[in-house]
Amino acid sequence: FTRERATPEGEIVPRLEGEWAGRPMALPDHSAYGIVSKDGSAIWINGAFGSQKRTVWLRQGEWNRPSPVENEGMLWDVSYDGSFALAYRAGSRPAAIATLHQDGVGVFTVLAHPEWNLYRAALSWDQRWVTFTAVRPDGAVGMYTAPFRANERIPIEEWTYAGRGSSPIWSPDGDRLFFLSKRDGHACLYEQPLDLATKKPVGEARPVARFDGPESVENLPPDSARISATRSGILFSLGRRADYVVRVPF
């Protein structure tokens, strides 16, 4: 569905190919963003359609027929086959995480806390686990993992604390979390090893890439903390430049 071309400097130039390439799409304005399913069969888009903010999805081969979903919240992640997405539950206070479905079966709150705001949910590649960011009333930010059930509320008792940091994502094998943190005073991309069976942290997190200082990647932070894991490494855009995407190899 997409193809990467790496420059000698490590820059990644993604482009559409296959059925999506060069096709007109009925997409929202420039404020929108989209998430592609890992199998390349669907795109979920969150943005402004005229005066209304909406979430839609498009199936490959039907690029000019966006299908709306009952939600106005931010998208966090999409399932492997694109059949459902994780998103902010619109109107929830504190912020909760819900699943949205293509087939119109409804919106299901799967992660919620009576006092904490929950953000940046990401599914493991096998869709058996979810990780997310929790912000407490005192401003403390932490990461959690939990077993995932698409249409069921996941009890707080099943959450596992994964350490300080934000915007966690899974490695393809589910043995690590990659996340952002300034724990050493500098903006860094870290990796946290996990126990494969329990997804509990094993050992200390280590920095993978720095975003300021002499060892930085172009001395720019990731744009809006949008990072993605591929089989070969981590991808993220730098600064506010949508055309500049960097890969950090595993």
Side-chain angles (χ1 to χ4, degrees), residues 119-151:
Y119 304 106
R120 301 291 184 186
L123 287 168
S124 62
W125 285 45
D126 62 7
Q127 298 184 184
R128 296 176 57 195
W129 297 85
V130 63
T131 183
F132 55 95
T133 301
V135 182
R136 302 185 184 189
D138 61 2
V141 180
M143 305 175 299
Y144 288 80
T145 62
F148 180 71
R149 296 181 289 276
N151 299 333

Coordinates of all heavy atoms in Angstrom, one line a residue, residues 119-151:
Y119 N -5.0 8.9 27.0 CA -4.8 9.3 25.6 C -3.9 8.3 24.9 O -3.4 7.4 25.5 CB -4.1 10.7 25.5 CG -4.8 11.8 26.2 CD1 -4.3 12.3 27.5 CD2 -5.9 12.4 25.7 CE1 -4.9 13.4 28.1 CE2 -6.5 13.5 26.3 CZ -6.0 14.0 27.5 OH -6.6 15.0 28.1
R120 N -3.6 8.6 23.6 CA -2.6 7.9 22.8 C -2.6 6.4 22.9 O -1.6 5.8 23.2 CB -1.2 8.5 23.2 CG -1.0 9.9 23.0 CD -1.0 10.3 21.5 NE -0.7 11.7 21.3 CZ -0.8 12.3 20.1 NH1 -1.1 11.6 19.1 NH2 -0.5 13.6 20.0
A121 N -3.8 5.8 22.7 CA -3.8 4.3 22.8 C -3.2 3.7 21.5 O -3.4 4.2 20.4 CB -5.3 3.9 22.9
A122 N -2.6 2.6 21.7 CA -2.0 1.9 20.5 C -2.1 0.4 20.7 O -1.9 -0.2 21.8 CB -0.5 2.2 20.4
L123 N -2.6 -0.3 19.7 CA -2.8 -1.8 19.7 C -1.4 -2.5 19.4 O -0.6 -2.0 18.6 CB -3.8 -2.2 18.7 CG -5.2 -1.9 19.0 CD1 -6.1 -2.1 17.7 CD2 -5.8 -2.7 20.1
S124 N -1.2 -3.6 20.1 CA -0.1 -4.5 19.7 C -0.5 -5.1 18.3 O -1.6 -5.1 17.9 CB 0.1 -5.6 20.7 OG -1.1 -6.4 20.8
W125 N 0.5 -5.6 17.6 CA 0.3 -6.0 16.3 C -0.6 -7.3 16.2 O -1.3 -7.5 15.2 CB 1.7 -6.3 15.6 CG 2.4 -5.1 15.2 CD1 2.6 -4.0 15.9 CD2 3.0 -4.9 13.9 NE1 3.3 -3.0 15.2 CE2 3.6 -3.6 14.0 CE3 3.2 -5.6 12.8 CZ2 4.3 -3.0 12.9 CZ3 3.9 -5.1 11.7 CH2 4.4 -3.8 11.8
D126 N -0.6 -8.1 17.3 CA -1.5 -9.2 17.3 C -2.9 -8.8 17.9 O -3.8 -9.7 18.0 CB -0.9 -10.4 18.1 CG -0.7 -10.0 19.5 OD1 -1.1 -9.0 20.0 OD2 0.0 -10.9 20.2
Q127 N -3.1 -7.6 18.3 CA -4.3 -7.0 18.8 C -4.8 -7.7 20.1 O -6.0 -7.5 20.5 CB -5.5 -7.1 17.7 CG -5.2 -6.3 16.5 CD -6.3 -6.3 15.5 OE1 -6.2 -5.7 14.4 NE2 -7.4 -6.9 15.8
R128 N -3.9 -8.3 20.8 CA -4.2 -8.9 22.1 C -3.9 -7.9 23.3 O -4.4 -8.2 24.4 CB -3.4 -10.2 22.3 CG -3.8 -11.3 21.3 CD -2.9 -12.5 21.5 NE -2.9 -13.0 22.9 CZ -2.1 -13.8 23.4 NH1 -1.1 -14.3 22.7 NH2 -2.2 -14.3 24.6
W129 N -3.2 -6.8 23.0 CA -2.8 -5.9 24.0 C -3.0 -4.5 23.6 O -3.0 -4.2 22.4 CB -1.4 -6.1 24.5 CG -1.1 -7.5 25.0 CD1 -0.8 -8.6 24.4 CD2 -1.1 -7.8 26.4 NE1 -0.7 -9.7 25.2 CE2 -0.9 -9.2 26.5 CE3 -1.3 -7.1 27.6 CZ2 -0.8 -9.9 27.7 CZ3 -1.3 -7.8 28.8 CH2 -1.0 -9.1 28.9
V130 N -3.1 -3.6 24.5 CA -3.2 -2.1 24.2 C -2.3 -1.4 25.2 O -2.1 -1.8 26.4 CB -4.7 -1.6 24.4 CG1 -5.2 -1.8 25.8 CG2 -4.8 -0.2 23.9
T131 N -1.7 -0.3 24.7 CA -0.9 0.6 25.6 C -1.4 2.0 25.4 O -2.0 2.3 24.4 CB 0.6 0.5 25.3 OG1 1.3 1.3 26.2 CG2 0.9 1.0 23.9
F132 N -1.3 2.8 26.5 CA -1.8 4.1 26.4 C -1.1 5.0 27.4 O -0.4 4.6 28.3 CB -3.3 4.1 26.7 CG -3.7 3.4 28.0 CD1 -3.9 4.1 29.1 CD2 -3.9 2.0 28.0 CE1 -4.3 3.5 30.3 CE2 -4.2 1.4 29.2 CZ -4.4 2.1 30.4
T133 N -1.4 6.4 27.3 CA -0.9 7.4 28.2 C -1.9 7.8 29.2 O -3.1 8.0 28.8 CB -0.4 8.6 27.4 OG1 0.6 8.2 26.4 CG2 0.2 9.7 28.3
A134 N -1.6 7.9 30.4 CA -2.5 8.4 31.5 C -1.9 9.7 32.1 O -0.7 9.7 32.4 CB -2.7 7.3 32.5
V135 N -2.8 10.7 32.2 CA -2.4 11.9 32.8 C -3.2 12.1 34.1 O -4.4 12.2 34.1 CB -2.6 13.1 31.9 CG1 -2.1 14.4 32.5 CG2 -1.8 12.9 30.6
R136 N -2.5 12.2 35.3 CA -3.2 12.3 36.5 C -3.5 13.8 36.8 O -2.9 14.7 36.2 CB -2.3 11.7 37.6 CG -1.9 10.3 37.4 CD -1.1 9.7 38.5 NE -0.7 8.3 38.3 CZ -0.2 7.5 39.2 NH1 0.0 7.9 40.4 NH2 0.2 6.3 38.8
P137 N -4.4 14.0 37.8 CA -4.7 15.4 38.2 C -3.5 16.3 38.6 O -3.6 17.5 38.4 CB -5.7 15.3 39.3 CG -6.3 13.9 39.1 CD -5.2 13.1 38.6
D138 N -2.5 15.7 39.1 CA -1.3 16.5 39.5 C -0.3 16.7 38.3 O 0.7 17.3 38.5 CB -0.5 15.8 40.7 CG 0.0 14.4 40.3 OD1 -0.2 14.0 39.1 OD2 0.6 13.7 41.2
G139 N -0.7 16.2 37.1 CA 0.1 16.5 36.0 C 1.1 15.3 35.6 O 1.7 15.4 34.6
A140 N 1.2 14.4 36.5 CA 2.1 13.2 36.3 C 1.6 12.4 35.1 O 0.4 12.2 34.9 CB 2.2 12.3 37.5
V141 N 2.6 12.1 34.2 CA 2.2 11.3 33.0 C 2.9 9.9 33.0 O 4.1 9.8 33.3 CB 2.7 12.1 31.8 CG1 2.4 11.3 30.5 CG2 2.1 13.5 31.7
G142 N 2.1 8.9 32.8 CA 2.6 7.6 32.8 C 2.1 6.7 31.7 O 1.1 7.1 31.1
M143 N 2.7 5.6 31.5 CA 2.2 4.6 30.4 C 1.7 3.4 31.1 O 2.2 2.9 32.1 CB 3.4 4.3 29.5 CG 4.1 5.5 28.9 SD 5.5 5.1 27.9 CE 6.6 4.3 29.1
Y144 N 0.8 2.7 30.4 CA 0.2 1.5 30.9 C 0.0 0.5 29.8 O -0.1 0.9 28.6 CB -1.2 1.8 31.6 CG -1.0 2.5 32.9 CD1 -0.8 3.8 33.0 CD2 -1.1 1.7 34.1 CE1 -0.7 4.5 34.2 CE2 -0.9 2.4 35.3 CZ -0.8 3.7 35.4 OH -0.6 4.4 36.6
T145 N -0.1 -0.7 30.1 CA -0.4 -1.8 29.2 C -1.6 -2.5 29.8 O -1.8 -2.6 31.0 CB 0.7 -2.8 28.9 OG1 1.1 -3.4 30.1 CG2 1.9 -2.0 28.3
A146 N -2.4 -3.2 28.9 CA -3.5 -4.0 29.4 C -4.0 -4.9 28.3 O -3.8 -4.7 27.1 CB -4.7 -3.0 29.7
P147 N -4.5 -6.1 28.7 CA -5.1 -7.0 27.7 C -6.2 -6.3 27.0 O -7.0 -5.6 27.6 CB -5.5 -8.2 28.5 CG -5.6 -7.7 29.9 CD -4.7 -6.6 30.1
F148 N -6.4 -6.6 25.7 CA -7.4 -5.8 24.9 C -8.5 -6.7 24.5 O -8.4 -7.8 24.1 CB -6.7 -5.3 23.7 CG -7.7 -4.5 22.8 CD1 -8.2 -3.3 23.2 CD2 -8.1 -5.0 21.6 CE1 -9.1 -2.6 22.4 CE2 -9.0 -4.4 20.8 CZ -9.5 -3.1 21.2
R149 N -9.7 -6.2 24.7 CA -11.0 -6.8 24.3 C -11.8 -5.7 23.6 O -12.2 -4.7 24.3 CB -11.7 -7.4 25.4 CG -10.9 -8.6 26.1 CD -11.7 -9.2 27.2 NE -11.7 -8.3 28.4 CZ -10.8 -8.2 29.3 NH1 -9.7 -8.9 29.2 NH2 -11.0 -7.4 30.4
A150 N -12.0 -5.8 22.3 CA -12.5 -4.7 21.5 C -13.8 -4.0 22.0 O -13.9 -2.8 21.9 CB -12.7 -5.2 20.0
N151 N -14.7 -4.8 22.5 CA -16.0 -4.2 22.8 C -16.3 -4.3 24.3 O -17.5 -4.2 24.7 CB -17.1 -4.8 22.0 CG -17.0 -4.6 20.5 OD1 -16.3 -3.6 20.1 ND2 -17.5 -5.5 19.8

